[in-house]
Amino acid sequence: MRRGMTGEGRLTGICFLLMTLAGWASSPLFLKYFVGKIDAWSSNGWRYGIAALFWLPIVIREITATEASPGLWRAALWPTLFNATGQICFAWVLYLNVDPGMMTFLLRTQIVAATIGAFALFPDERGLMYRRGYWFGMVLVVGGIASMILLRAEMPVRPGTLGMILGILSGALFGGYALAVRRCMSGYSSMTSFAVISLYTAIALMVPMLLLGDEHGLIVRHLNGFQLMMLVISALAGIALGHVFYYASIARLGVALASGILLLQPFVTASASAVLYGERLTGKQWISGTLSVIGAVLLLYVQTHHPRGAGARSLIPLRGVKGKQESGSNAIGQETL
């Protein structure tokens, strides 16, 4: 329990965290629902456009503030590049014969990308290379994901190779997003930072929708009222509200505990996908996926217990969470989904 946190505050934090988990775990399920109804470009553009409208008041406040954060708009460009590119890969995975459960396990590659990149960018992280627990966790993550891929031939419906590649690539890009957030957004408010990144990302995803999407994005006019409602809910739950709940939970529980619980996301998504879409991972794949998540837990444990002075930051991003930055009580999160 964080110092000074009451039982009621901790319970509130757990509630916020469970809502975050529900929102981020359901995001791939919503995306799967729209496969065959709208194209990936339109799905990306509309969902992020709706989420950006949610954050627009914060952006307007930043623009009109007499003491606006200097350099914020320029600093947000690099995180946006990784976020938007990763989101494009992420959305296309489900259109290439990869189901939500498999995809969420593939996204654990973001942990590998984030920790390797941290060695190059942040000297205070390099001490992790001398911790045996770190390498054991890394082997579990990489080995678990590799086993899931190699065992895909045993699945009732074999996932597409390109979809698998894009799933791994999207995880790596989200890891890069985490690094870019830590590198570029230090010192800025978490809420304001994500609001600006969300606006930038919406623009970056709406342009290809207008150029490449079916009917230039107007394919959504063929959706019925229920389907349009699902589109709005998916944007709010997975992107906009998910991050609000996440920030609220880490303020009450801390980054380490929140990150650990959110590692349950692949299991929640895969279980729900089995019920909703008939996705069937084999027993060996469940074991492999579980090993990859255990490795992620070990990496998180080693990182949070690594002595590197005050202001130590977590680099384990979750779809999730797509990256976090912590400086004191400030943290910025991921998994835009």
Side-chain angles (χ1 to χ4, degrees), residues 30-261:
F30 279 115
L31 285 174
K32 177 71 173 180
Y33 173 76
F34 289 109
V35 173
K37 297 179 176 63
I38 57 176
D39 60 286
W41 299 113
S42 299
S43 176
N44 260 340
W46 282 104
R47 291 174 69 252
Y48 245 99
I50 294 169
L53 288 176
F54 178 89
W55 289 96
L56 190 59
I58 296 179
V59 175
I60 294 175
R61 184 186 65 186
E62 172 65 23
I63 294 174
T64 58
T66 55
E67 298 181 1
S69 303
L72 172 63
W73 295 87
R74 183 174 63 255
L77 290 174
W78 275 108
T80 299
L81 176 63
F82 283 101
N83 188 28
T85 309
Q87 184 64 32
I88 290 173
C89 295
F90 176 82
W92 271 102
V93 171
L94 295 172
Y95 286 78
L96 296 169
N97 201 30
V98 177
D99 285 320
M102 171 67 82
M103 180 178 70
T104 52
F105 280 111
L106 293 176
L107 287 175
R108 297 314 99 192
T109 55
Q110 60 189 299
I111 296 173
V112 178
T115 51
I116 291 176
F119 292 158
L121 296 175
F122 308 109
D124 62 342
E125 298 286 342
R126 293 170 190 164
L128 288 171
M129 290 189 292
Y130 304 101
R131 304 285 296 275
R132 283 180 294 181
Y134 165 80
W135 290 108
F136 184 57
M138 186 70 75
V139 168
L140 286 177
V141 172
V142 175
I145 293 173
S147 296
M148 291 196 74
I149 295 173
L150 293 175
L151 293 169
R152 68 192 175 107
E154 300 181 11
M155 299 179 67
V157 179
R158 184 173 180 176
T161 300
L162 180 57
M164 302 284 282
I165 292 173
L166 287 181
I168 294 172
L169 180 59
S170 63
L173 288 166
F174 291 147
Y177 169 78
L179 294 168
V181 165
R182 176 175 169 183
R183 183 79 170 183
C184 303
M185 308 308 294
S186 178
Y188 298 111
S189 161
S190 297
M191 289 291 189
T192 304
S193 296
F194 183 75
V196 172
I197 293 173
S198 181
L199 178 62
Y200 275 167
T201 304
I203 296 172
L205 295 179
M206 291 181 75
V207 169
M209 177 187 75
L210 295 173
L211 296 176
L212 304 172
D214 290 346
E215 300 183 30
H216 306 289
L218 293 179
I219 186 70
V220 296
R221 66 191 178 91
H222 300 295
L223 298 179
N224 59 38
F226 177 78
Q227 292 167 340
L228 288 172
M229 181 183 69
M230 294 288 280
L231 186 65
V232 173
I233 292 175
S234 69
L236 295 178
I239 303 173
L241 291 176
H243 285 83
V244 172
F245 294 144
Y246 174 69
Y247 296 139
S249 67
I250 60 176
R252 292 163 174 81
L253 302 174
V255 171
L257 178 58
S259 299
I261 294 178

Side-chain angles (χ1 to χ4, degrees), residues 113 139 147 154 187 264 291 299 304 306 323 327:
V139 168
S147 296
E154 300 181 11
L264 294 173
L291 289 176
L299 286 174
T304 54
H306 174 56
S327 179

